[in-house]
Amino acid sequence: MTIANQARSFFRKPHNVILVILAVALSFLTLFPLLSLVRDSFVVHPSEVMTVKGAKVGELTFFHWRKVFASGLTSANMLYKPLWNTVKTSLGSCAIAILLGGSIAWLVTRSDLRWKSFISVVFIFPYIMPSWTLAMAWLNFFRNRLIGGAPGLFTALTGIETANWFAYGAFPIIVVQGLHYAPFAYILIGGILRNMDANLEEAATILKASRFKILRRITLPIVMPAVLSTFLLTFSSCMSAFAVPAFLGTPVRFNVLTTQLYRTLNGLNPGYGYILALVMIVIGTGILAVNQWFIGKRKSYTTITGKGSNISLVKLKALRTPVSLLVVVFLAAIAILPLVTFAVESFIMAPGNYSFSNLTTQFWIGPGRVDIGGGEPGILINKYVWLGLWNSIKLSVVVALMAGTVGGLAGYAISKARGTRLAALVNNLAFFPYLMPAMAFGAIYLSMFARPFLGLPSIYGTFALLVLVGAVKYLPFASRAGVNAMLQLSGEIEEAGVILGIPWRKRITRIIFPIQKASFLSGYLLPFISCMRELSLFVLLISPANRVLTTMLFQYNEKGWNQYANAINLIIIVVVLSFNTVINKVTGASIDKGIGG
Amino acid sequence: MKRVILSALLIAAAAMALGAQTKTMTHDELVAAAKAEGKVVVYSITSRIANAATEFEKTYGIKVTASNLKDGELIEKVTKEVGGGIQGADFVICQDSGRVFGQLIGPGYLVNYVPETMKNVIPAAYQNPLTFQLINKVFIFNDEKTQDPVIKNVWELTEAKWKGKVQFKDPKMEGVNANFLTMLTSPEWSAKLDKAYSDLYGKKLKLTTKNAGYEWIKGFFQNGLVLGNSDTTISENIGIKGQPATTMGLFVFSKKRFDATKNLTLKPMTEVAPFTGFIYPAFLQLTKNAKNVNAAKLFIEFLLTKEGFAPWAKDVGAYSTNPSIGVNADDFPVSFWAPRLVPENPKYIFENRSDVEEFINNLQ
Amino acid sequence: MPEIALKGVTKRFGKFVAVDSLDLTIADGDFVTLLGPSGCGKTTTLRMIAGLETPTEGEILIDGKTVFSSRTGVDISPDKRDVGFLFQNYALWPHMTVEQNISFGLENLKWDKARIKERVAGLLATLKIGEFGKRYPSELSGGQQQRVAIARTLATGPKVLFMDEPLSNLDAKLRTEMRTELKRLHLETDSTFVYVTHDQLEAMTLSTKTCLMRDGLLQQYAPPLHVYNNPANVFVADFVGSPTMNFIEGTGSNVNLDEIKIVVDGIDLMFTPVSGSITLRDDQQIVVGVRPEYIKIGAQGKVRAKVYSTLPSGMETIVRLSVGAQLLTAVVFGAIDFAVDQEVAMDFVEDRCVIFDKESGCNLALGRLGVV
């Protein structure tokens, strides 16, 4: 066969065409930014003319690298301490997330816990809600007077002053992030437990092993690789989380890598920021490599599926009702109570005064008053809030459509060409954005697209840029959902269509998509939800005309306009939860399909 | 090749002629041209621009898109937009003179424009760059327990009795705060601080750092200083009633306007040695690539009038550069404040701020 | 001596009845197969005896001791029932080596290390997997995994052994080999085997008694050859035997003293019961069951038939014949290749044909079939 013929037969297969297009496009959208990031770490930026003395904008310099890595106290404060804080809080959060998520997963899949369907629905809430939700709730509750100002609800109710370490810094960050990612661990570990062959445990039962011994010697070792995987994924998520440390850490000058990143990129030293972003990407990639290595090990058993229906449930006996009640009360505290505090906080006039006479609807429907919040009208009659809501929904829908479609096609092509080098490349490229800390990703796109570039006009400040960055960032969710959907589908299903001469487009839209509708739609749902509640990705890219709810919330919060911030947060949560519920009820798609797998 | 250069020169000349022409517009012509443009985009460091915008829309029927940004954010945005040739704001109200001079005015991203009607009104000192208003941040305390000023000398803030009771907006969050700290390290202000130390304690200050300015910053920060995210929050934190101890902060004087609505009790101090706070300008500047130039010019002019300044004038802590606009009854004129406050010196700030910022970052 | 008794055992999953008031006694030393199509309740029955599933109602006794009773609330956990269980997918623990898998049960019995080692070595040798002791299950073939699973089950020397379709994941050749091994193991270990399968051949070849189930109901419980020769109903007759039994439907009536005339579309048959005389209702609808080996093809024969197809497999040949409107299956020993549509003569032989009542499906009588 001549090369031309080979090429022709290669491109006759639609999945090869998709792979080639994706390989080129994703290299451009993920690898190229990385190079641009590296370059930016060696360049004098406009805001650095004050810092890098005598240098001109655009000159090459080693100044940033020297300052970040090898300048004694400065480096310690810039990189090493925040890095240690990041590691510390991420490890702590992971431990909480996995213990809590794992325990609930075990209770739901392996015991006769009551109200399972309620628990499994509500437990997902903290993950669907924006990550700062719990942080804000924490502040609403445990804010103390030690750093001045109005105490929170807890002090107002009990009169007990919360300690500084309890209200701010590492401890609440660990707890809040742990709670936020517990559902994530629950989804992953629960998936494994659900798929794990119950016979493995029963075989041990018959051989006279005790309940505890089975857990220790059989169940735990078998789910351990999945738990490790969960641990690594949770760790990298915690590491790139910005909002929670920003809310809970800054009052006591507790810095982590992301808050440093935000400060440097927004401040006088973007060069430092680009280096910090690189550090985070290196860590993220390292984590992925460890994960891959672990999965590839001798004892590995990624596909452990058996007869799921035959699971015999552990009887909690006398503990059944107390444990079930405990879980439900706990869930109410972390999933429902925060919403109540937002509602309460959004209705009070003078901060810290929770008496009935202090309630007001000013921040919801009141006209602007210059003496409160700079004349900002109540959020329900504020045209900018409506604009932000509209922008948020518009952006999320467009991003979800793009990421979901491209991800679905990527999943299709990757699984069709499984085992080829091209498929592996596209698979990794599509997963790469997951490792990029959202804010660093935003920063790169900002620097890449702020100038006309490769003949393309600058799209800085446009809606298109937000769509692009969102679609690329959430592609991993969609492509994983797509790959999972395709792996569950036997190749013969499509081949039957090929034999009958059904064109490719029709095979996709009439055969493959309808069969795995729920899985593919999950690939749309997760980007949508993530986009609705995203802050760090957009915080650097938003321009006033494109403002979205989350960035408005962050601005209100920074200005200290607490009531507006609480009210907007409530709106975001209501939108996200209702979209999730409606889509889940109507189509059967659910977020766990995107991250599970 | 020659022809290309020639035509480029011609175009440049024509453009200059055009620019010259717009300068000599009468006020009516300006209004007409502005109305023809129909809209204007402004970035502002003060949120009350929204109220002024409403008033401007009412007066001229020109639509305003106003955005309230943080000072650093505004500077970055203008750099990106004007530098990248992107249509953004038509004019800006910006602060942080060190960066504004170095990063925006230096490369020519901002264009100075003084309205014809204001050339003889605004003092010459405020005309290049055109200054919109002066803003002051002063030491303010919670006067629930005592009406008397709680400090007489800034060095008292480094003493144990004030540990953890003083709040200040994080200088990383707002450039003007970093500017103020930078100014303290200048020869002039470090000398004043040195003297204030001797006056208070009757002994010479022992230096562990470069000068008395750095020394005070170190003492101030290391005395449990609470760094806030916003002056609004700080004003609430300080002013709220029923606190166990008297607290104080260094924040925008205008926040005193929240006293009534938010049930706060705030009182400024005017007699503290060697300064009772700092004062800084907010500039009014056209952007180089402004699209709605005439509407922007008209709005700039409007902001310098009594009507345009109304959203600020009714409260304390904002001082128009138009001398015909008086200060609030509860306030003092700039002439009273100026000797009591630390001003900005753009050149000194530009050259020294990064050192001071690094110094602060490394304080524990 | 372990004897297993089920009394009125019922298992419901929601509204679905998996097992319906099952009474069953498994004698000591028996090799009982629970046979039936998928979803008939056989696996559920096995799991209930082992204690992995809790019955909704009824009583289960092992060795005279009540291990479950819905009446008294007794429910002994599986580890205290002293049974072994071989799972369909082996359920080998992927994170343990072959040796660790086998010794796990012995550790739970607190055996000392030397004894465990000896026992494991012995089992590895018996099952011919000695060289794989240090490997992980994922590194073994299906047949080797199967042997490890058996070794693990046998290690603790249980007196009762439950097996849930243990051979269904193996290829045909290995399956035959393992069947032989299992039958030997049954004798060597001298224990009671309860074996679930949907493969009638396995049930026929292995068991001492077969328990046929359908939709949760017991159909017939008897030694396999009895089931084969004297099926309790049409379902059992159809399920057991390969190629399957021929069923001819017709209307029956008593004629002469003892004979029954059956009018079928195309031919009239005469049935002579050997198991005692029976009386039919008027125009009773009858199904006649004839095993393929009881149809004889030869030069002489009362019935003329046409060859529909021939399937020679070497040792025997399956011939499909069309007789009138009927299509019958016959088995001939040896390889004979008839031409399609060739005319042949045939006869029904032996006295092991069965007539069933069409309405209830019940076995009415065994006897000889002739053509009028």
Side-chain angles (χ1 to χ4, degrees):
Chain A
M1 224 188 326
T2 65
I3 291 175
N5 280 341
Q6 273 178 2
R8 208 171 298 139
S9 79
F10 178 81
F11 282 114
R12 201 168 291 143
K13 298 194 182 93
H15 62 255
N16 285 331
V17 178
I18 297 175
L19 284 179
V20 169
I21 293 174
L22 282 177
V24 174
L26 289 178
S27 303
F28 175 71
L29 290 169
T30 61
L31 288 188
F32 198 82
L34 190 64
L35 294 179
S36 141
L37 182 66
V38 172
R39 194 194 73 103
D40 275 337
S41 71
F42 287 105
V43 164
V44 177
H45 300 271
S47 56
E48 288 161 350
V49 285
M50 221 146 92
T51 319
V52 191
K53 298 210 168 93
K56 285 201 188 68
V57 172
E59 280 180 349
L60 283 182
T61 176
F62 286 100
F63 180 84
H64 313 310
W65 285 91
R66 206 176 55 236
K67 277 286 180 191
V68 170
F69 280 99
S71 294
L73 202 54
T74 303
S75 308
N77 286 317
M78 179 64 62
L79 174 68
Y80 299 118
K81 269 183 212 156
L83 177 63
W84 167 234
N85 285 341
T86 293
V87 170
K88 201 165 61 179
T89 51
S90 300
L91 282 179
S93 306
C94 279
I96 290 185
I98 286 179
L99 281 179
L100 185 64
S103 309
I104 303 250
W106 187 85
L107 283 172
V108 168
T109 58
R110 286 289 190 274
S111 81
D112 62 344
L113 193 72
R114 285 177 201 274
W115 312 303
K116 276 185 193 173
S117 54
F118 171 82
I119 288 169
S120 49
V121 168
V122 175
F123 192 45
I124 307 292
F125 279 16
Y127 188 63
I128 299 178
M129 295 190 288
S131 61
W132 59 78
T133 299
L134 284 170
M136 273 177 85
W138 188 279
L139 288 182
N140 286 346
F141 251 92
F142 298 120
R143 232 178 9 227
N144 68 19
R145 226 193 281 267
L146 293 173
I147 66 157
L153 271 168
F154 177 79
T155 308
L157 292 175
T158 63
I160 302 167
E161 195 78 62
T162 49
N164 241 4
W165 63 266
F166 186 84
Y168 312 98
F171 174 76
I173 291 175
I174 288 175
V175 172
V176 162
Q177 283 194 157
L179 292 177
H180 178 65
Y181 287 109
F184 180 74
Y186 162 78
I187 290 168
L188 290 176
I189 298 175
I192 298 298
L193 284 176
R194 236 172 242 127
N195 286 332
M196 184 182 144
D197 191 350
N199 287 347
L200 292 170
E201 287 162 307
E202 289 169 356
T205 310
I206 286 183
L207 290 173
K208 303 188 194 315
S210 66
R211 263 288 150 208
F212 178 71
K213 192 166 184 189
I214 293 172
L215 191 66
R216 189 169 57 85
R217 291 282 304 276
I218 309 288
T219 316
L220 281 182
I222 288 173
V223 299
M224 201 38 89
V227 171
L228 230 127
S229 222
T230 310
F231 171 81
L232 294 171
L233 289 177
T234 312
F235 187 91
S236 78
S237 300
C238 289
M239 185 183 75
S240 48
F242 164 68
V244 174
F247 276 76
L248 294 171
T250 29
V252 289
R253 281 180 254 174
F254 182 85
N255 281 316
V256 295
L257 286 180
T258 45
T259 52
Q260 287 290 79
L261 193 64
Y262 177 70
R263 187 169 74 64
T264 49
L265 287 177
N266 258 332
L268 295 182
N269 307 96
Y272 297 176
Y274 294 123
I275 295 174
L276 293 177
L278 281 174
V279 169
M280 293 175 71
I281 291 168
V282 167
I283 298 176
T285 317
I287 287 173
L288 182 73
V290 170
N291 195 22
Q292 300 256 357
W293 169 77
F294 204 88
I295 287 169
K297 265 178 62 168
R298 189 167 166 226
K299 284 197 276 180
S300 81
Y301 15 84
T302 41
T303 48
I304 32 173
T305 46
K307 290 190 201 165
S309 57
N310 278 338
I311 294 173
S312 56
L313 300 175
V314 174
K315 292 183 187 64
L316 299 171
K317 290 179 187 143
L319 288 176
R320 186 175 178 200
T321 305
V323 168
S324 308
L325 263 178
L326 192 73
V327 171
V328 168
V329 168
F330 176 71
L331 288 188
I334 64 166
I336 295 166
L337 202 57
L339 308 189
V340 177
T341 74
F342 300 143
V344 170
E345 293 281 334
S346 68
F347 282 112
I348 59 168
M349 178 57 96
N353 176 356
Y354 297 98
S355 65
F356 194 76
S357 60
N358 193 37
L359 296 184
T360 173
T361 52
Q362 168 68 28
F363 303 102
W364 286 94
I365 52 167
R369 278 170 64 175
V370 180
D371 49 358
I372 309 163
E376 201 82 1
I379 64 164
L380 290 184
I381 57 161
N382 187 334
K383 64 173 179 175
Y384 290 114
V385 172
W386 287 107
L387 175 72
L389 176 64
W390 167 238
N391 280 340
S392 278
I393 292 178
K394 186 171 68 170
L395 179 63
S396 307
V397 167
V398 177
V399 162
L401 285 178
M402 283 186 60
T405 307
V406 174
L409 288 175
Y412 165 81
I414 290 166
S415 62
K416 277 273 154 190
R418 204 148 29 119
T420 66
R421 226 175 296 165
L422 185 61
L425 172 75
V426 171
N427 194 17
N428 284 332
L429 281 178
F431 191 71
F432 190 67
Y434 187 88
L435 300 174
M436 291 250 207
M439 193 180 293
F441 204 63
I444 306 172
Y445 271 58
L446 181 65
S447 80
M448 245 174 92
F449 291 104
R451 47 185 179 252
F453 161 76
L454 292 185
L456 298 170
S458 160
I459 54 168
Y460 170 80
T462 63
F463 187 68
L465 178 59
L466 299 181
V467 169
L468 187 69
V469 76
V472 176
K473 178 70 189 155
Y474 299 129
L475 186 62
F477 297 134
S479 74
R480 286 195 109 196
V483 170
N484 286 339
M486 284 304 296
L487 287 181
Q488 287 160 16
L489 199 66
S490 125
E492 287 130 28
I493 300 244
E494 197 197 347
E495 281 158 10
V498 177
I499 301 282
L500 290 175
I502 298 168
W504 178 76
R505 224 176 46 148
K506 239 182 167 172
R507 294 203 300 270
I508 295 285
T509 53
R510 300 290 297 279
I511 301 176
I512 293 177
F513 187 81
I515 295 177
Q516 290 292 31
K517 198 176 70 183
S519 291
F520 280 114
L521 284 177
S522 308
Y524 288 91
L525 179 60
L526 201 55
F528 176 84
I529 287 173
S530 310
C531 202
M532 269 311 288
R533 54 165 204 205
E534 179 64 67
L535 171 65
S536 9
L537 186 64
F538 299 133
V539 74
L540 300 174
L541 296 174
I542 281 305
S543 68
N546 296 323
R547 64 186 105 191
V548 291
L549 280 186
T550 49
T551 56
M552 292 178 80
L553 180 147
F554 190 67
Q555 275 172 359
Y556 279 130
N557 205 285
E558 278 200 323
K559 283 184 202 154
W561 299 354
N562 225 341
Q563 295 92 333
Y564 294 106
N566 275 299
I568 287 188
N569 201 19
L570 208 54
I571 289 183
I572 295 176
I573 293 169
V574 166
V575 170
V576 168
L577 284 184
S578 33
F579 262 88
N580 183 58
T581 312
V582 168
I583 291 174
N584 185 249
K585 283 275 176 300
V586 172
T587 68
S590 67
I591 62 158
D592 41 326
K593 291 208 169 77
I595 39 181
Chain B
M1 194 63 202
K2 253 186 191 164
R3 193 171 289 174
V4 175
I5 295 171
L6 203 69
S7 49
L9 278 175
L10 273 174
I11 289 169
M16 275 163 73
L18 214 68
Q21 204 181 13
T22 50
K23 244 177 204 158
T24 54
M25 257 186 192
T26 67
H27 190 261
D28 289 343
E29 281 168 353
L30 179 67
V31 172
K35 280 186 174 165
E37 286 165 351
K39 63 170 193 170
V40 61
V41 182
V42 53
Y43 297 166
S44 158
I45 45 93
T46 146
S47 60
R48 282 175 276 179
I49 187 69
N51 306 66
T54 316
E55 220 30 62
F56 181 70
E57 279 178 359
K58 246 188 251 162
T59 313
Y60 292 105
I62 295 168
K63 231 174 111 37
V64 182
T65 310
S67 304
N68 175 207
L69 301 170
K70 289 183 285 179
D71 58 7
E73 216 177 359
L74 188 147
I75 291 167
E76 281 300 304
K77 239 182 179 34
V78 173
T79 310
K80 289 252 157 58
E81 289 177 352
V82 181
I86 299 156
Q87 229 18 271
D90 295 312
F91 79 102
V92 296
I93 301 176
C94 56
Q95 65 180 31
D96 188 349
S97 58
R99 280 184 85 185
V100 168
F101 275 87
Q103 203 177 326
L104 298 181
I105 295 179
Y109 292 165
L110 296 181
V111 177
N112 195 40
Y113 163 77
V114 184
E116 286 301 317
T117 51
M118 291 294 161
K119 281 199 169 136
N120 298 321
V121 179
I122 309 287
Y126 294 132
Q127 287 203 13
N128 196 13
L130 178 66
T131 305
F132 170 49
Q133 60 167 324
L134 295 165
I135 301 163
N136 56 349
K137 296 201 184 191
V138 297
F139 289 116
I140 298 174
F141 68 101
N142 182 314
D143 64 347
E144 197 179 11
K145 289 197 167 63
T146 168
Q147 291 291 309
D148 302 325
V150 289
I151 56 166
K152 293 201 161 50
N153 189 309
V154 295
W155 285 100
E156 289 176 54
L157 298 178
T158 64
E159 293 172 11
K161 65 176 175 184
W162 284 106
K163 194 169 179 68
K165 297 198 178 73
V166 186
Q167 302 205 6
F168 183 55
K169 186 170 174 182
D170 195 337
K172 292 169 213 152
M173 308 278 293
E174 194 174 14
V176 291
N177 281 21
N179 288 348
F180 153 67
L181 296 172
T182 308
M183 286 307 295
L184 296 184
T185 67
S186 66
E188 181 195 352
W189 283 97
S190 71
K192 286 185 183 173
L193 277 166
D194 200 29
K195 182 173 177 297
Y197 185 90
S198 316
D199 290 349
L200 181 64
Y201 299 115
K203 59 179 179 189
K204 193 99 188 73
L205 173 65
K206 259 193 229 137
L207 285 181
T208 59
T209 52
K210 264 192 253 169
N211 62 36
Y214 281 106
E215 204 64 38
W216 183 80
I217 293 172
K218 187 178 161 192
F220 183 52
F221 270 71
Q222 289 186 336
N223 200 26
L225 180 65
V226 179
L227 293 178
N229 278 342
S230 89
D231 280 352
T232 305
T233 319
I234 292 176
S235 70
E236 286 173 7
N237 290 349
I238 300 301
I240 194 157
K241 286 174 182 163
Q243 296 190 60
T246 297
T247 52
M248 66 173 287
L250 177 51
F251 55 91
V252 174
F253 184 37
S254 69
K255 299 294 176 196
K256 188 165 166 37
R257 69 181 187 271
F258 295 143
D259 263 18
T261 50
K262 294 191 180 169
N263 194 26
L264 306 179
T265 172
L266 296 167
K267 188 170 183 167
M269 285 179 277
T270 53
E271 308 302 331
V272 181
F275 55 82
T276 186
F278 55 101
I279 189 161
Y280 53 93
F283 306 113
L284 257 178
Q285 295 280 293
L286 288 170
T287 57
K288 192 175 79 177
N289 60 349
K291 193 172 158 216
N292 310 301
V293 185
N294 296 305
K297 285 178 173 174
L298 190 61
F299 201 169
I300 289 178
E301 184 194 69
F302 179 71
L303 286 170
L304 293 170
T305 63
K306 203 176 179 89
E307 297 73 40
F309 197 69
W312 292 272
K314 58 192 177 55
D315 293 309
V316 297
Y319 314 91
S320 173
T321 51
N322 182 342
S324 65
I325 300 172
V327 296
N328 196 283
D330 299 330
D331 204 346
F332 305 99
V334 174
S335 56
F336 170 85
W337 284 114
R340 292 169 169 80
L341 301 173
V342 180
E344 287 192 344
N345 174 344
K347 187 165 179 298
Y348 183 81
I349 291 168
F350 184 79
E351 284 165 0
N352 295 283
R353 188 165 124 192
S354 67
D355 294 339
V356 175
E357 284 198 340
E358 194 172 336
F359 174 77
I360 293 166
N361 277 340
N362 292 342
L363 284 176
Q364 277 316 300
Chain C
M1 281 294 120
E3 183 199 70
I4 299 165
L6 280 74
K7 293 176 188 168
V9 171
T10 299
K11 175 71 183 179
R12 274 187 288 269
F13 293 106
K15 278 182 188 154
F16 173 72
V17 184
V19 176
D20 200 352
S21 57
L22 179 68
D23 291 306
L24 191 70
T25 305
I26 297 166
D28 176 38
D30 261 359
F31 192 140
V32 169
T33 43
L34 300 174
L35 179 64
S38 51
C40 72
K42 54 192 192 302
T43 298
T44 309
T45 305
L46 187 75
R47 290 171 58 84
M48 286 192 294
I49 306 173
L52 297 173
E53 206 86 66
T54 313
T56 317
E57 274 165 41
E59 223 174 359
I60 301 173
L61 291 88
I62 297 179
D63 203 7
K65 198 175 93 183
T66 306
V67 292
F68 177 83
S69 168
S70 60
R71 203 168 36 81
T72 60
V74 172
D75 186 5
I76 309 271
S77 67
D79 51 307
K80 307 219 166 60
R81 295 191 185 189
D82 238 337
V83 296
F85 203 111
L86 196 57
F87 293 90
Q88 179 176 8
N89 53 5
Y90 322 137
L92 294 177
W93 299 305
H95 59 297
M96 295 185 189
T97 61
V98 168
E99 284 176 353
Q100 287 168 337
N101 261 287
I102 298 173
S103 58
F104 187 78
L106 301 173
E107 285 170 29
N108 294 333
L109 291 178
K110 308 264 175 333
W111 282 28
D112 63 60
K113 278 200 180 129
R115 224 176 125 209
I116 291 178
K117 211 175 162 193
E118 194 185 329
R119 174 78 173 149
V120 170
L123 282 162
L124 288 174
T126 316
L127 287 152
K128 306 182 188 99
I129 43 175
E131 67 222 80
F132 305 127
K134 298 274 184 260
R135 294 224 196 149
Y136 286 99
S138 60
E139 297 161 341
L140 300 178
S141 73
Q144 290 158 350
Q145 289 185 23
Q146 168 73 276
R147 286 164 187 274
V148 176
I150 294 173
R152 185 178 71 183
T153 312
L154 292 179
T156 53
K159 282 298 183 200
V160 185
L161 234 150
F162 298 129
M163 289 175 259
D164 184 7
E165 309 213 14
L167 305 185
S168 62
N169 288 351
L170 301 179
D171 61 48
K173 193 160 167 283
L174 263 174
R175 214 180 299 165
T176 317
E177 188 186 320
M178 286 310 295
R179 260 184 230 143
T180 323
E181 304 266 352
L182 283 178
K183 202 148 188 179
R184 283 196 65 83
L185 269 175
H186 178 233
L187 292 173
E188 282 165 13
T189 56
D190 192 27
S191 35
T192 309
F193 278 26
V194 184
Y195 188 106
V196 163
T197 183
H198 63 265
D199 182 347
Q200 55 92 24
L201 187 63
E202 249 168 52
M204 293 297 297
T205 50
L206 291 173
S207 50
T208 57
K209 258 181 138 181
T210 298
C211 168
L212 243 141
M213 295 178 71
R214 179 200 195 183
D215 295 340
L217 285 164
L218 176 67
Q219 302 293 312
Q220 191 169 13
Y221 182 45
L225 286 177
H226 182 82
V227 172
Y228 185 82
N229 289 325
N230 197 1
N233 54 36
V234 175
F235 169 76
V236 173
D238 188 31
F239 197 82
V240 173
S242 172
T244 50
M245 198 177 225
N246 293 295
F247 295 106
I248 305 163
E249 291 182 19
T251 315
S253 51
N254 289 82
V255 291
N256 305 333
L257 185 60
D258 215 7
E259 290 174 335
I260 292 166
K261 185 181 173 194
I262 303 158
V263 182
V264 186
D265 187 19
I267 17 169
D268 286 351
L269 300 171
M270 192 63 78
F271 181 80
T272 318
V274 293
S275 50
S277 64
I278 50 162
T279 311
L280 298 182
R281 299 188 301 273
D282 289 345
D283 290 335
Q284 187 169 352
Q285 294 299 304
I286 295 288
V287 177
V288 184
V290 187
R291 293 270 175 215
E293 59 266 36
Y294 303 144
I295 295 177
K296 197 181 166 200
I297 303 172
Q300 286 115 34
K302 286 196 189 126
V303 187
R304 306 300 298 168
K306 225 184 205 175
V307 173
Y308 185 78
S309 72
T310 317
L311 305 171
S313 66
M315 189 172 71
E316 60 184 24
T317 304
I318 299 167
V319 186
R320 298 276 277 162
L321 299 167
S322 68
V323 183
Q326 305 287 329
L327 206 53
L328 301 175
T329 309
V331 175
V332 184
F333 195 76
I336 311 166
D337 208 353
F338 294 102
V340 171
D341 288 346
Q342 185 184 341
E343 291 259 342
V344 292
M346 58 154 271
D347 244 337
F348 298 107
V349 295
E350 303 284 337
D351 45 10
R352 283 186 181 159
C353 294
V354 198
I355 58 169
F356 303 97
D357 172 42
K358 191 185 173 192
E359 206 186 324
S360 66
C362 285
N363 184 332
L364 295 173
L366 277 179
R368 170 182 291 275
L369 198 62
V371 181
V372 178

